[in-house]
Amino acid sequence: MASLLSVKQWDIETDVLILGFGLAGASAAIEALDADPNVKVTICEKNPEKYAGGNSRAAGQSLLIAKNPTALKAYQKAMSTSNPIPEEMLDEWAIRMSELEPWIKARAEEVGSQYIRGTGFTDRDAVLEFPELGAEDAVTYTATILPIPAGVWLAFKKNVDKRAVNVLYNSPVKDLIQDPDTLEVFGAVIEQDGVLKNIKAKRGVIMAVGGFEANLDMQRNYCGYEEIFPLGNPANTGDGIHILQKAGADMWHMRNKGQSGGIWPGLQIPGYKTVFLRNLFWQSYSWVEIAADNKRFYNETAELQLTHYKEKKHKHWVDTPHINAGPIHMIFDETTREYNCLALKAFTWNIAAENLDWSDDNLVEIEQGLIAKADTIEELAVKIGRDPTEVSAEIQKYNGACAAGEDKEFSRIPITLQPIIKAPFYGVKIVPAVVCTGGGGRRNIESEVLSPVGKPIPRLYEAGELGSMFSNLYQNGSYLTEAMISGRAAGKNAANQNCWD
C-alpha cells in the first residue's frame, strides 16, 4: 500500500473513485449518483476508450432473470457445495436478483436500447445449465440487451456517458492510499503517461478492475495451467489481485474446484493476445479433435456450452480436458470447411473490441496459413507436426465408428458421426481458452472488502469479476447480473459514506 503519510499532494480529488470501467464500474457510478446526485464520481480505466468495457464487453451478454429467490438460492447453493458461499450472502443475493430486472429495463429504456427475452443469438428462451441441481425452478428465463455483440455493455456505457461522471482513460491503478495502522482507504495512485498521480477519494474507493485471465504467470501459479488464453479483456492481468493483497484483504475463489466460467476451445491468431471461440453450432460434423498423443479425448459434439464446458465424471462436474490434453488439433474435411465457419462471431474480445473477422468458408484463414491443408491425412499430420501413422490410424478408427453408427469410446450421438473422407483435409490448433477468473478479495453482499479476520477494510469496496462470489459451478447469465448487483451495492455504500475531509 501507499501510506497516507507519504502523500505530499493530491493531484485529483473526487468523492467516489471507481477503478475499472466495465459493467460493475458502470453500475457503481450509476448507483452512486442515484444515492446522492451531488456526489462527485471519477472512473479510472486502464484501457483507452475504444477498448473500455472489460470482460462485460466481450461476454455473451446473457442476463439471468430469476423471480423465485428461494429456488435461486437453493440452486446456487447446490452448485457451490465444494466451496460454500456464506448463507447470509446467498440469501440477500437471491432477493436482489429477483428484484433486478426492472432496473435493467430502465437502463436500456433510458438510452433507447432494446431489452429482449432470450440470448439474442440462439432461439433458447432460457439456458438451464444443471437441471439436476434445480435449474428449472431457479431460472425464470434468460434476457439480454441488443445489439449483439456487446449490447449490455454499450447500454450501460451510454448511461454513464450521459451522467456527471469523470472518466479517465489510459489511467491504470498502481496502488491504494491507506492508513498503515487502520487500513482505512483514502484514495489511489494511478499512472497517466508514465507519471504517477495521487487521487483523493473522500468517500470511498471501488475496485472493479477484473481478474487475471490474461496473466499466464498467475494462471500457472494459482491454477496450474501450462498454457491458457483469454477470450476477454487482454488488460485483465491481475493488477487488482496484487493491490488487494497489499491492502490487507483476505482472498477467496482464486482456484476453486475448477474454472467457474469453464475452459473452452479457442482459435489463436498470431499477434493477438486474445483468441476466437471455436464455433458451437455446426451444419456438418466430419471433424474430430486429437490430443498430444494423437488420439481423440472427449465427445467433441456434446453441447458443452450449456454447462460452461463442464463434463460429468464419476458424479462430479469437472472442467473439460482441453487444459490437460494439449497440444490439440481439430482435424476436418472439405465438407466441414465448406459448410461451417470455424469461429463463433457472437462474442469474445476479438469480435466485440478488435472488430476482427473470420471468413464464413475459412478460405482466408487457409490462405493465411492459420489452417493447414493437405490432400491426405498422412500429409496433413506431417504439416501439423504429428506422427502420420498414428493420426491416420485414429481417423480410420473414427471413420469406422461412423460406419458402425456407434461411438463406443465417447458416445457421440449417431447423427454427428460423419466420416472424415472428403479431401482436401484440414488441421487447426485448438488452444484452451478461459472466459474469466473469479478470484479476488473476499467481500460481503454490500461489496465491502474483508480482512482475514472478517472485518471490512474501511472505505474499500469491490465489484464484478474481481472477488466474485461464485465458487464452483456457474449458471449462464450470473456474472453480468452479479456485476450489476455488486456494483450497485458498492456505489450506493461509497456514496453514503461521510467525507473524511
Side-chain angles (χ1 to χ4, degrees), residues 384-430:
I384 62 176
R386 302 272 183 167
D387 183 291
T389 302
E390 292 182 0
V391 173
S392 177
E394 189 67 6
I395 299 305
Q396 289 179 36
K397 183 178 179 182
Y398 166 74
N399 287 344
C402 294
E406 182 182 9
D407 180 16
K408 292 182 179 180
E409 275 195 295
F410 301 106
S411 301
R412 272 172 66 153
I413 61 175
I415 197 173
T416 71
L417 290 173
Q418 298 175 4
I420 303 170
I421 54 175
K422 186 176 181 181
F425 303 101
Y426 303 93
V428 64
K429 186 178 181 182
I430 300 296

Side-chain angles (χ1 to χ4, degrees), residues 81-352:
T81 53
S82 65
N83 191 356
I85 299 168
E87 199 82 6
E88 65 277 8
M89 190 174 196
L90 276 178
D91 282 330
E92 186 59 29
W93 168 78
I95 292 170
R96 295 183 189 188
M97 279 288 291
S98 69
E99 298 170 347
L100 185 61
E101 187 179 36
W103 188 78
I104 303 173
K105 286 183 174 179
R107 301 287 68 76
E109 183 178 350
E110 182 175 335
V111 295
S113 297
Q114 185 180 0
Y115 176 90
I116 66 166
R117 184 162 166 163
T119 65
F121 63 93
T122 73
D123 58 2
R124 296 183 188 274
D125 183 65
V127 179
L128 308 178
E129 301 224 22
F130 303 101
E132 74 271 32
L133 300 181
E136 189 171 358
D137 292 331
V139 179
T140 306
Y141 48 84
T142 300
T144 194
I145 299 174
L146 297 179
I148 298 296
V152 175
W153 156 247
L154 292 172
F156 274 73
K157 184 179 187 298
K158 290 177 183 177
N159 270 261
V160 172
D161 287 346
K162 66 181 293 188
R163 287 168 166 78
V165 178
N166 182 29
V167 182
L168 305 177
Y169 295 102
N170 295 301
S171 301
V173 58
K174 309 307 280 186
D175 211 346
L176 295 175
I177 298 171
Q178 295 176 269
D179 183 307
D181 296 319
T182 66
L183 299 185
E184 185 172 2
V185 174
F186 297 101
V189 181
I190 65 166
E191 182 179 344
Q192 292 182 324
D193 298 322
V195 178
L196 296 180
K197 295 184 178 181
N198 298 323
I199 301 182
K200 176 191 279 189
K202 296 179 181 180
R203 302 197 190 191
V205 175
I206 300 168
M207 295 285 294
V209 298
F212 61 94
E213 56 273 9
N215 186 324
L216 182 57
D217 185 63
M218 291 182 74
Q219 290 280 4
R220 286 170 171 166
N221 283 293
Y222 283 111
C223 302
Y225 300 149
E226 180 179 351
E227 179 186 57
I228 198 162
F229 298 86
L231 292 162
N233 183 10
N236 279 9
T237 54
D239 306 356
I241 303 292
H242 297 310
I243 290 169
L244 287 170
Q245 287 171 328
K246 288 168 60 179
D250 192 19
M251 310 303 286
W252 72 348
H253 303 160
M254 294 300 294
R255 172 62 177 91
N256 304 321
K257 192 174 181 179
Q259 281 282 0
S260 293
I263 298 173
W264 301 58
L267 297 166
Q268 187 179 18
I269 305 298
Y272 288 88
K273 296 179 180 178
T274 61
V275 296
F276 282 99
L277 179 61
R278 203 263 309 278
N279 209 339
L280 306 173
F281 311 105
W282 298 91
Q283 306 304 311
S284 61
Y285 298 92
S286 52
W287 61 275
V288 295
E289 289 178 58
I290 56 173
D293 60 357
N294 298 319
K295 297 184 181 299
R296 294 174 61 213
F297 59 98
Y298 79 116
N299 179 350
E300 301 96 339
T301 59
E303 290 191 299
L304 293 168
Q305 72 273 14
L306 299 183
T307 53
H308 265 77
Y309 266 78
K310 305 286 183 183
E311 285 186 309
K312 200 168 189 178
K313 297 285 189 182
H314 312 295
K315 296 187 176 182
H316 294 276
W317 288 98
V318 297
D319 291 326
T320 51
H322 285 82
I323 196 62
N324 296 313
I328 297 166
H329 277 89
M330 176 183 176
I331 308 294
F332 57 102
D333 70 0
E334 177 66 6
T335 300
T336 286
R337 193 281 305 164
E338 183 179 4
Y339 290 106
N340 302 273
C341 175
L342 290 193
L344 184 67
K345 299 185 182 184
F347 47 89
T348 71
W349 190 262
N350 282 351
I351 297 294

Side-chain angles (χ1 to χ4, degrees), residues 360-396:
D360 290 339
D361 57 11
N362 310 291
L363 289 178
V364 171
E365 292 71 28
I366 293 168
E367 183 68 25
Q368 292 172 339
L370 301 178
I371 300 172
K373 176 183 177 181
D375 292 327
T376 68
I377 292 294
E378 291 81 1
E379 181 186 350
L380 178 66
V382 172
K383 284 190 173 183
I384 62 176
R386 302 272 183 167
D387 183 291
T389 302
E390 292 182 0
V391 173
S392 177
E394 189 67 6
I395 299 305
Q396 289 179 36

